[in-house]
Amino acid sequence: MPPLHGREEFLEGVELAVKRGWSVSQEEIDEGIWAVSAAIRDDDRTVAALSLSCPEFRLDDARRKACTDRAVATAERISEALRGGAAAGPDA
């Protein structure tokens, strides 16, 4: 399936996701579903991703931001643990 908004916009989106280490899907895979994914890295290599998803109608902008922040922070803690650092608890 070709990108919804054209190849250039798709590639710009991929480049942005790689740069910041996370991405959002707003009904791109499943209708009515919002999701955020954050990269888990071992050194400079992405080895996995952490993803949170929720029905779109349950989220306002504040909740989307909170979910994004939590996913990114958790992925960073997992990445730190993979590098041999101290893994903090879920509320750290």
Side-chain angles (χ1 to χ4, degrees), residues 20-69:
R20 66 184 180 192
W22 60 273
S23 183
V24 169
S25 171
Q26 207 152 355
E27 299 187 275
E28 293 169 6
I29 305 296
D30 294 311
E31 186 176 341
I33 300 298
W34 177 92
V36 60
S37 296
I40 295 172
R41 296 191 169 131
D42 187 6
D43 295 319
D44 290 332
R45 190 171 62 103
T46 298
V47 296
L50 177 108
S51 179
L52 303 174
S53 60
C54 185
E56 177 79 28
F57 74 91
R58 293 189 180 268
L59 299 169
D60 59 16
D61 288 343
R63 290 188 112 166
R64 283 186 197 93
K65 181 175 181 348
C67 288
T68 300
D69 291 348

Side-chain angles (χ1 to χ4, degrees), residues 9-27:
E9 187 173 329
F10 171 76
L11 292 175
E12 288 172 9
V14 169
E15 196 172 302
L16 177 62
V18 169
K19 182 179 179 177
R20 66 184 180 192
W22 60 273
S23 183
V24 169
S25 171
Q26 207 152 355
E27 299 187 275

